[in-house]
Each structure stands twice: as C-alpha cells, then as structure tokens.
Amino acid sequence: MTASQEFVHSWGDDLAEVNEALAEVFGNDGHWCRVGPDVYTVGIGDPEYRLRGSTVGWHVDLFQSSWAPEFGELREVPAKYRQAVAAYIDARDRLTMPPPKVEELRQRGEPEDTAAVHALVGHHLVLLEDQLRALDALQVSLSEEARCQPWASRFLSKECQEIKERQDCVSASLVEYHLGEAGTRVNIWFWEQGFDLPGGFIPLLPDSAPAPETAAV
C-alpha cells in the first residue's frame, strides 16, 4: 500500500500510527462505504480517508468531504452517483483558492504593474470558470429525475452560490484596487438568479429555499 504525502503528514509522519489507523478504519468493524471502485471512510470527518487502486495495490489519500450521516447532501447521494460527485469534489479541491485581497493586488502591482494585477485576477476567474465546468459535468451525469431530488438541487445550488460569492470577492478586490475606498463605492453585490450552463440552468438557491429578502433572521 502507498499513501499520499498529505495523508502521511496529517499523522505527523508517524508510519506506525498510519498503519494502525488504516487497519482500524478499513477493518471489518470499521465505518466505510464503496464509491465506484474506491473505498471511503464514513464518519471520520472532513476530510475522510480513501483507498484507490494503483499498480502496486491500494493507495490511500484524503477526500475533502464526508459521507457521514450528519453531512446531509453526500449522505443522501444514491450509490450510483457517488463516484461522479466524488470526482467533482476532487476537481473543486484542486481549483479552489482563497480570493485575492486588495492588499495582495497592491503588492503584485508595485510599482504600477497593472498587467500583473490583471493576470492574477484573471487566474482566479479562470479557476472559478473551470469549477463551473466541472459542476456542469456533474449535473450532466445525473438523470433528470436525480436532478430534481433534494440532495442534488441543494448540492448544485450551494456550489453555485459559493462560486458566485468568490467571483464577487475577486471583483470587489479589483474595484477597490482601481478606485480605492474614498467616495461612493461601486455596488457589485447584485443578486443573481443562477448560472445558465451548457448542461442546464442551476439556481443559486434550490426551489425549497426562501429568497434572500424573505429569509428568516
């Protein structure tokens, strides 16, 4: 068996503890489930542990989400769709970066290197666009019936909402970089209904959720 550096580091590089933990969580009395050809722990937390086949046997790494009962959407995903959802979560993990703060843009732009600032902002926007494409690939893999299920509508909408919020953060930093904080600020926090993707429209909130202006406080 092999292991990712991230997984080994999470155990303080103590290989004895790693082997003991794996034997416990993936043993006959452990809490795990199959997701396609892979095996995931259930209830360890976020992240979970995952076993995937490799040319030398099993490879263990971390999965940046949880199938545990308390997690909600992932627990409710039908077994036949879990592999597609897991593939999206892996893509999201690779593509997600904290939006740049205006201080970071100012450092990148010294002395007056606007092109470097725009390149950094463009990089973040490309990552967000790639995440939307990965999310669209997930929704295309779902049947029409599955898309209407509560777990799917909540999950897709929640992901779109988070992408929209990060888009707004990137835009807000760029506006502040160019215009500063003096005077009336440009308001970019408009409410958008959703993303019109090639595979279909995804609202920012599922149908069962209250609109922002009517949500309880």
Side-chain angles (χ1 to χ4, degrees):
M1 178 182 292
T2 59
S4 68
Q5 289 185 350
E6 183 184 23
F7 180 84
V8 175
H9 289 339
S10 71
W11 284 92
D13 297 318
D14 189 325
L15 296 182
E17 285 196 19
V18 168
N19 289 329
E20 183 179 345
L22 291 176
E24 180 178 354
V25 299
F26 289 113
N28 292 333
D29 297 327
H31 296 285
W32 48 268
C33 69
R34 289 197 174 272
V35 179
D38 305 325
V39 181
Y40 290 65
T41 58
V42 177
I44 297 298
D46 187 356
E48 297 282 351
Y49 305 161
R50 169 174 56 187
L51 293 177
R52 293 194 283 185
S54 70
T55 56
V56 294
W58 288 107
H59 178 77
V60 60
D61 66 356
L62 298 178
F63 177 64
Q64 302 299 328
S65 197
S66 173
W67 302 101
E70 63 270 15
F71 194 77
E73 288 99 346
L74 292 188
R75 175 182 61 84
E76 299 169 13
V77 176
K80 65 180 179 179
Y81 294 124
R82 284 189 169 189
Q83 190 172 3
V85 172
Y88 167 73
I89 292 174
D90 282 337
R92 181 186 67 186
D93 185 45
R94 293 192 304 269
L95 296 169
T96 299
M97 292 179 61
K101 297 183 181 297
V102 68
E103 293 78 11
E104 184 180 353
L105 298 186
R106 287 169 178 160
Q107 291 175 358
R108 181 67 62 95
E110 294 180 352
E112 298 184 357
D113 189 358
T114 304
V117 172
H118 290 175
L120 178 60
V121 169
H123 174 66
H124 281 270
L125 294 178
V126 167
L127 291 178
L128 290 167
E129 184 67 21
D130 287 345
Q131 186 178 343
L132 275 173
R133 293 184 182 186
L135 186 65
D136 190 43
L138 169 60
Q139 78 158 343
V140 168
S141 72
L142 304 177
S143 68
E144 290 294 332
E145 180 182 1
R147 291 190 202 185
C148 297
Q149 295 297 312
W151 71 266
S153 61
R154 288 197 308 266
F155 185 81
L156 294 172
S157 294
K158 177 177 65 67
E159 292 300 308
C160 281
Q161 179 66 37
E162 292 179 359
I163 292 170
K164 175 63 167 59
E165 289 172 357
R166 290 202 300 278
Q167 287 177 333
D168 286 345
C169 287
V170 174
S171 299
S173 293
L174 184 62
V175 168
E176 186 173 345
Y177 170 78
H178 281 295
L179 302 182
E181 295 183 278
T184 302
R185 295 289 304 279
V186 175
N187 181 5
I188 62 170
W189 303 97
F190 293 114
W191 175 255
E192 300 289 344
Q193 293 298 312
F195 287 101
D196 192 9
L197 301 174
F201 181 80
I202 301 178
L204 293 188
L205 288 176
D207 293 339
S208 59
E213 63 272 15
T214 62
V217 296

